[in-house]
Structures are given as structure tokens and as C-alpha cells.
Amino acid sequence: MPGRSDFFRSAAEQGHPFAQVSLGRMYAAGRGVLRDDKIAVGWYRKAAKTGFALAQYHLGYMYKTGSGVVQYDVMAAWWYRKAAEQDMPEAQNDLGAMYLKGEGVPQDERLAAEWFRKAADQGLAIAQNSLGGMYLDGRGVPQDDKLAVEWYRKAALQGNAYAQHNLGSLYILGRGVEKSHAQAAEWYRKAAEQGDMRAQELLDQMNDQGVTSRL
């Protein structure tokens, strides 16, 4: 009986971009086929050349990580941009990160913030957390603690552990919000429950100091 790889291969060979990406992902993960990043790249490339954003994003990732191709940030950014310009939030976020670090593109904090915002406006938690950090530090945007809190909270409510930790720290410091150890402990706890070691250490410190017992 034909397996999923046979189904996707048949459709991929007929030129269906979604099937090509699906088959590429199977090769990249070794699901139902022997893992082979080079074959995965080949299928992603076929779909990417048709303008399929998901394929362009995956191809960018392969160049960023050097999986199946020679690691090349310039090509990673080029493919991320192709997908980002089609409003794919994951690509917008990753392109923003490349502008922030100056990887494959000239470092530009303003452009980094713009791409983070595009992804954040679409509800991508990791981008919301990144945009919160940009406002907190005044990188690429005017420094604004309240906007930092707003974006961290949006991401934290979606379960992003980094944002939960960051929001907890702002409650400790009283930046953009009224200082509250109770709120800080709540957000640290949420992050710690997801394995955030920094949040766990800070929560332990609060326990050692008897802060949480007084809440």
C-alpha cells in the first residue's frame, strides 16, 4: 500500500508546490524516508522557484543552518525576504533577526524593528517578544517601556516563555507597569514551567528571600 511519501512524491513530480515542500520536509526530518538534507533542498528549491512562500522560507532556513547546502547568510536572507514580502510572519521574523545581527544583510535596527512589527501584527509570539525588546532598549524604535510591556504581554499570553520571563522582570523593576512581586512571580512561574532556567533561578531567589511566602 502506498505510503505518504509515495503520495507526496507523485504530486511533487507533477509540479504541485505544497507536495514538493511536504516531501522536502519528510527528507529533512527523515519521516517515512531516509533523511537527506540535499534532497530536501532540491524539493524546496523546485517549489520556491514557483514563488511558493513556504518553500522559500524553508530554503532560507537551509541556507541559514547550512543543511544540505553550504551555509550562506546572504542566500538565507534573500529567500527569507521573498517569503516575507508575501506576508509570511515566520520569514518576516527571521529576516528581522538577520537585520538586527547584520547577518547576510547590513545591520539595520530600524529595518529589524519593521520586520518584527509586520510579524508581530500577525500574532507571531516570537516576533512580539522581539519587538518588546526593541522598545525596551530603544533599538530601531523610540525607547518606550509601556510599549515593551504591551508587546511582551501579547507574546506571554500566547505562552512564549521568553516573553513571560521578560514581563516578570519588568514587574520586578516597575518599568512600564506598577512594581509587583506577585505579578513577577506569576510570570516567572509560567516561564519556569516551560523550562526557562533563568525564570526558575529568579523564582528560587524570590523564594529564598521569602518574597513569595509574603504574597
Side-chain angles (χ1 to χ4, degrees):
M1 183 176 179
R4 291 188 66 187
S5 62
D6 296 312
F7 171 78
F8 285 126
R9 187 182 305 279
S10 176
E13 289 173 348
Q14 294 179 57
H16 295 282
F18 182 80
Q20 291 169 337
V21 170
S22 298
L23 188 57
R25 292 175 69 175
M26 293 181 76
Y27 274 106
R31 293 197 310 268
V33 293
L34 291 177
R35 180 173 177 174
D36 191 318
D37 286 339
K38 289 185 178 180
I39 294 179
V41 166
W43 285 114
Y44 292 153
R45 194 181 303 279
K46 287 179 183 292
K49 287 181 176 179
T50 71
F52 192 46
L54 183 60
Q56 294 168 338
Y57 173 70
H58 279 295
L59 188 53
Y61 176 82
M62 300 302 267
Y63 274 108
K64 187 71 183 72
T65 59
S67 303
V69 290
V70 175
Q71 198 280 335
Y72 192 15
D73 283 342
V74 172
M75 286 302 297
W78 194 83
W79 284 111
Y80 280 157
R81 184 184 302 279
K82 291 286 189 182
E85 289 173 347
Q86 295 189 65
D87 286 332
M88 185 176 183
E90 293 83 2
Q92 292 168 338
N93 176 75
D94 289 2
L95 183 58
M98 296 192 80
Y99 271 111
L100 184 62
K101 299 173 184 177
E103 296 176 341
V105 291
Q107 186 176 24
D108 190 321
E109 293 180 349
R110 182 186 62 81
L111 284 176
E114 286 184 9
W115 285 112
F116 286 145
R117 184 183 301 280
K118 289 178 184 293
D121 284 340
Q122 294 193 66
L124 188 67
I126 189 173
Q128 292 170 339
N129 177 65
S130 295
L131 188 56
M134 300 294 276
Y135 275 110
L136 186 67
D137 298 333
R139 302 180 66 182
V141 291
Q143 198 283 328
D144 191 319
D145 286 348
K146 289 186 177 180
L147 283 175
V149 169
E150 179 181 324
W151 285 109
Y152 281 149
R153 191 182 303 280
K154 287 178 183 290
L157 289 171
Q158 291 195 69
N160 183 280
Y162 295 107
Q164 291 167 343
H165 167 268
N166 292 333
L167 186 56
S169 294
L170 292 188
Y171 272 108
I172 285 286
L173 298 170
R175 291 185 60 175
V177 289
E178 184 175 346
K179 186 179 292 187
S180 171
H181 286 100
Q183 284 293 317
E186 179 181 343
W187 288 111
Y188 283 154
R189 187 173 292 109
K190 289 179 183 295
E193 288 172 352
Q194 296 191 72
D196 188 308
M197 297 303 297
R198 300 171 305 160
Q200 184 61 63
E201 289 173 3
L202 290 167
L203 194 58
D204 288 343
Q205 290 177 19
M206 295 178 74
N207 288 332
D208 292 342
Q209 295 167 5
V211 175
T212 53
S213 64
R214 298 195 297 270
L215 298 178

